[in-house]
Structures are given as C-alpha cells and as structure tokens.
C-alpha cells in the first residue's frame, strides 16, 4: 500500500465519521406558547398531546384577563438523509364553560443540499378555531422564530 493510498483511506474515514456524526445529531426544538385570556372566566387546558400528569395541577390554567407562557421541548433531527419534510404539529384546546378554542401550530422543515449539513427551509403556521357550543373569538400567530437549527419559535394564542 502506498503512502498516497493510506492518506486517501484516512481522509475517507474522517469524512465518513464527520457525516455520520451529522446524521446522528439530534436537537431540541423549543416551542413557546403564550396563552392570552380576554374573557371574564378562567381558561382550562381541555385537550393536548402532552402527559398532563407531569405538570402541577392548574399549571396550564389562565386567569381572566391575563396571559400565561410555557415551553415545550421536542427532540428533532434535521440531519441527512431525509426525503419527506420533517413536521412538528401540536394541537391544544382551551375552554371556558361552553366556549372553546382549538389552537394548532405546525413547523414544516424541508432540506436541500449542503456541503456538511443540509440547508434547512422552515415554515411555521398557527391557526385557531372556535369549537365550543358558544362562539368565541380565537386568534393565533407566530410571534418569534429562529432560522438556524433547532428552529425554535413562539406562538401567541388568544381567546376572547
């Protein structure tokens, strides 16, 4: 084996190790929720995908005419290879008597070629729908975001 062959094999092994490390790297994407209660009664978290037993009782409740913020962390991996877009979708609903708002937020990440890491393109959306027996004004919007992985962002959900 020539000296050139040894260098070539070493270089290939180094590049492979680097790319494998990129594939195995997982990030934590933080989604910050701000719930604004513009009603005269307290809001209770009615539905979510989270294990609510892990939180203190009443942690997600929002007092009348006030707001409450909290964060949720999601393990994400935007490394190569990924053909379909990575999607993070969260649906929660808050209720006050017969009035309820269902809030949805979606992070959709597509990737394109990059030398050592993929180039990420993220789109975020937030929507709100009145889903209770009595109609109520529901609003949702993305309020802050980062364009670099792990692609953290914030949403503001307003009821009333």
């Amino acid at each position: 084996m020539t000296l050139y062959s040894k260098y070539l094999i070493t270089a290939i092994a180094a590049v492979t190790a680097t790319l494998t490390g990129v594939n195995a790297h997982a990030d934590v994407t933080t989604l910050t929720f701000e719930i604004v209660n513009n009603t005269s009664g307290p809001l209770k978290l009615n539905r979510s995908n989270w294990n609510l037993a892990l939180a203190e009782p009443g942690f997600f409740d929002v007092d009348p005419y006030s707001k409450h913020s909290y964060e949720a962390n999601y393990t994400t991996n935007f490394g190569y290879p990924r053909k379909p877009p990575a999607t993070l979708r969260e649906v929660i609903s808050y209720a006050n008597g017969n009035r309820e708002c269902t809030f949805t937020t979606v992070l959709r990440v597509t990737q394109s070629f990059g030398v050592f890491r993929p180039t990420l393109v993220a789109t975020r959306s937030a929507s709100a729908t009145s889903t209770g027996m009595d109609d109520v004004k529901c609003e949702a919007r993305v309020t802050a975001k980062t364009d670099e992985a792990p692609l953290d962002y914030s949403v503001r959900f307003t009821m009333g």
Side-chain angles (χ1 to χ4, degrees):
M1 187 181 277
T2 67
L3 186 59
Y4 175 75
S5 297
K6 288 181 183 178
Y7 285 132
L8 183 61
I9 290 171
T10 303
I12 290 171
V15 169
T16 302
T18 301
L19 291 177
T20 303
V22 169
N23 284 344
H25 179 70
D27 288 312
V28 174
T29 297
T30 301
L31 176 51
T32 303
F33 295 88
E34 181 182 16
I35 311 300
V36 179
N37 181 0
N38 288 336
T39 70
S40 59
L43 296 183
K44 304 278 185 198
L45 183 63
N46 202 27
R47 184 180 58 202
S48 74
N49 295 329
W50 307 317
N51 181 355
L52 299 179
L54 299 175
E56 293 289 323
F59 175 78
F60 296 101
D61 297 351
V62 186
D63 292 330
Y65 302 109
S66 65
K67 56 186 163 184
H68 178 58
S69 296
Y70 51 88
E71 295 179 344
N73 296 314
Y74 303 89
T75 302
T76 51
N77 183 354
F78 302 121
Y80 283 133
R82 177 178 288 283
K83 300 261 190 239
T87 302
L88 169 66
R89 183 174 192 265
E90 194 61 66
V91 178
I92 62 173
S93 70
Y94 271 87
N96 173 345
N98 288 331
R99 298 180 293 179
E100 179 183 50
C101 287
T102 299
F103 303 110
T104 304
T105 183
V106 177
L107 166 65
R108 184 178 168 94
V109 181
T110 56
Q111 32 173 254
S112 59
F113 180 74
V115 177
F116 290 108
R117 292 186 204 149
T119 301
L120 303 176
V121 177
T123 56
R124 298 163 183 91
S125 63
S127 62
T129 306
S130 178
T131 53
M133 296 265 225
D134 297 336
D135 199 33
V136 65
K137 182 179 176 184
C138 305
E139 295 177 343
R141 67 184 176 101
V142 175
T143 57
K145 61 185 178 180
T146 58
D147 291 327
E148 298 294 322
L151 303 171
D152 299 337
Y153 73 109
S154 300
V155 291
R156 175 181 284 176
F157 296 135
T158 305
M159 182 171 171

